[in-house]
Structures are given as structure tokens and as C-alpha cells.
Amino acid sequence: MAEHEVDLEAEQYENHREAGEILRQVREETADRVEVGVSHLEVAEYAEDRIRELGGKPAFPVNISVDEEAAHATPAIDDDTVFGEEMINLDIGVHVDGWLADTAITVDLSGNPELAEASEQALEAALEVVEPGVETGEIGAEIEEVITGYGFNPVVNLTGHGLGHWEQHTSPNIPNREVSQGVALEVGDVVAIEPFATDGGGKVTEGGKEEIFSLQTDRSVRNRQARRALEQITEEFRTLPFATRWLETDRAEMALRRLKSRGVVHGYPVLKEDDGCLVSQKEHTVIVTEDGCEVTTR
Ligand code: CO
């Protein structure tokens, strides 16, 4: 029987590429705006507006993680937090018609360039080995080797992931350490690879803050604001993550609390290392090709 041919020129891949192209530009422009004294909200809104101007849509709220934070932090409504001399990770996503690209970069204002370099170099090493047939654990082994070579730890309970249609996290996951999963990449797979390096223990835990949510079960709610919020969620975001500050209804925080208590949406608590530690992150999205991969976000 003939092997299934994947058409990498098909429209879905063109959309992935367009999302990646927008994201490459937005990542660089946004990173340039991160400076001591600038507000998180200004930077997040700049990135999200720029994505729309360039013809895409944010695939999830811009994640701005500081120092021990690794993921899922985004500004609250009216947030007035400003950057200090910190390690800042920007994780940004774009979709075109539901087809995604996902990228991240560390902006180091803390004076720890080696930690930022560790996740950058780990990603480069990972990209080198991506090709059809490579096991996801082999990619993780490359990441782990580079990061431990710098004297740091990879964050092992955060992983890269496949990107589906209107889905930000699908299989396969791409571990950040050597682990045998028995899963190999195939031509046409679209995956985000995202090494995290830390001077902490390498395992994140859930913090108290929660600003990012996604739809879990679409069931009716009575409260007017909650109903408005749910309409916007199902039409605009579908199953993609969104921020409280994206909701157009008044009393958005109350509306979300109701949706959460009814099990309609679920929240993503900020994930962090222990206080006093730092985390760096670098991420690209790739399309697996016959002889390697195409990096859509470079
Ligand atoms: Co990602």
C-alpha cells in the first residue's frame, strides 16, 4: 500500500506559515519594548494589537513571566505592574483561521545572560535533530544535555507540544529531558519546541494567580454578564485560551467566576519555580518536512 502523502503546500500549512511570519515580527518588536519601568499591560497590548494589524489573531494572551515564573502569567485588567531588573519571558501565539504558531523569547534585564543562552542553545540543538522518525525523547535528550552543560536544570514538567486546528496543545508532547515515550515525529507534524532552563530544581508548581482561561464545556448560564462573556468566548476564542482583560462585558471578573464555578471554563494558574529562582525560555514552531523541519517562527 502506498504511503500517505502529506501535501505541505496545502492551505492549512500556508496558514501556519503566515501565522509564523507575523509572530516572528511581533516577537522582535515586542522584545524591544521591554525595559525597566515599562508596564506589562502596555507590552501585552502592544503585541496583541500588532498581531491584529498584521492580519492574524492572538492564539492566546501574551504570557509575561518574570523571574521564578515560567508560564501562564498575563496582565490583569488595569494591571499597573512595571518591569524591573528581572528575567522576563515573553510567550506569544498567533492563529490564522485557527492554524497556529507559538514562540517565546527571554529578555534578560537581571544580568544572567548565561541562563537565557542555555535555553536558546538548547532549542538550536533540538531543531538540529528534528526529522521524520526522530523520537520525541531524543529531542528532549538534546535539550537536557545543553542545559545541564551550562550548569542549569531543564524544567521537566513543562513540555513542547503539537499545534492543532483551534487547539494550542495537542499530541505529541516534546519533553525537555531524555525520556522514552515511544513516539516519533512524522512529515507534516506541526510542533512547538520550548526548552525552559532554571537555576532552581526544574519542577514548576501552581501559584495563586489566574488570568488565563479556556472553554471547557459549553452549557447555558443565566447571569447576563456571564452569558455575554460565554457568547464572545464561543464565537471568538472557541477552545483557545483567553485573558480576563479580553472580555467585552462589564463585570468581566465576576462573569468569569460564575463561568468557572459552573465548570464552563477552566483557569490556568501561573506556573513557577521556587521564590528566588530564575527561569528562561525559548520557543519556535516547526513543520516536520521530508528531510528535517521548517521553522515557521524564525
Ligand atoms: Co508553546
Side-chain angles (χ1 to χ4, degrees):
M1 207 167 82
E3 247 186 87
H4 175 63
E5 288 264 330
V6 178
D7 177 10
L8 294 177
E9 304 308 314
E11 197 181 344
Q12 75 177 78
Y13 291 105
E14 290 303 327
N15 288 335
H16 275 299
R17 289 185 184 99
E18 193 185 333
E21 179 70 26
I22 293 167
L23 197 41
R24 179 189 58 75
Q25 189 177 341
V26 172
R27 179 190 60 229
E28 299 308 313
E29 292 177 3
T30 305
D32 281 347
R33 299 178 95 84
V34 174
E35 285 176 45
V36 173
V38 171
S39 87
H40 290 202
L41 188 59
E42 182 186 323
V43 166
E45 288 185 335
Y46 170 81
E48 291 161 5
D49 289 346
R50 223 27 213 129
I51 289 167
R52 295 185 191 98
E53 273 170 28
L54 294 170
K57 300 234 171 78
F60 51 84
V62 172
N63 284 211
I64 300 180
S65 306
V66 171
D67 288 349
E68 73 273 12
E69 294 174 343
H72 300 169
T74 202
I77 297 171
D78 299 327
D79 200 312
D80 59 4
T81 314
V82 296
F83 294 109
E85 289 175 353
E86 299 155 329
M87 179 161 283
I88 296 122
N89 301 325
L90 302 173
D91 192 335
I92 316 176
V94 167
H95 78 85
V96 171
D97 231 2
W99 303 103
L100 281 73
D102 189 350
T103 194
I105 188 171
T106 295
V107 180
D108 177 42
L109 306 179
S110 73
N112 289 279
E114 286 212 335
L115 183 56
E117 197 180 294
S119 49
E120 258 170 52
Q121 292 305 317
L123 178 58
E124 289 307 318
L127 295 175
E128 284 292 319
V129 300
V130 173
E131 62 179 6
V134 71
E135 294 220 0
T136 54
E138 296 173 49
I139 302 172
E142 294 292 323
I143 292 171
E144 181 173 16
E145 193 184 326
V146 171
I147 293 175
T148 55
Y150 274 87
F152 300 119
N153 287 315
V155 175
V156 297
N157 58 343
L158 290 174
T159 68
H161 48 92
L163 294 168
H165 196 208
W166 293 100
E167 273 185 294
Q168 198 220 336
H169 281 112
T170 60
S171 59
N173 76 55
I174 313 289
N176 284 323
R177 62 169 165 163
E178 180 168 15
V179 51
S180 180
Q181 307 193 119
V183 179
L185 296 183
E186 294 172 21
V187 175
D189 282 352
V190 180
V191 294
I193 303 176
E194 50 183 321
F196 292 82
T198 181
D199 56 2
K203 266 200 178 150
V204 289
T205 53
E206 295 186 350
K209 275 198 295 178
E210 214 173 65
E211 282 295 332
I212 301 180
F213 299 85
S214 72
L215 185 66
Q216 194 164 23
T217 338
D218 188 357
R219 63 163 73 109
S220 66
V221 282
R222 273 206 207 103
N223 173 269
R224 181 189 313 234
Q225 280 88 13
R227 213 165 53 219
R228 283 221 183 104
L230 183 56
E231 273 167 23
Q232 186 188 357
I233 293 162
T234 51
E235 276 167 31
E236 195 177 334
F237 317 132
R238 303 197 197 184
T239 47
L240 292 174
F242 60 90
T244 315
R245 61 188 163 76
W246 286 3
L247 295 177
E248 283 155 9
T249 178
D250 45 82
R251 306 181 69 198
E253 280 153 327
M254 184 278 301
L256 265 177
R257 274 198 303 277
R258 284 184 187 254
L259 292 175
K260 211 185 137 184
S261 71
R262 293 271 291 142
V264 177
V265 301
H266 73 105
Y268 299 83
V270 171
L271 299 173
K272 48 199 272 196
E273 271 284 341
D274 293 334
D275 285 350
C277 300
L278 298 174
V279 179
S280 72
Q281 178 195 15
K282 182 82 184 180
E283 177 178 25
H284 275 307
T285 296
V286 306
I287 300 171
V288 180
T289 59
E290 295 289 347
D291 58 356
C293 69
E294 181 185 333
V295 183
T296 67
T297 47
R298 173 110 71 193

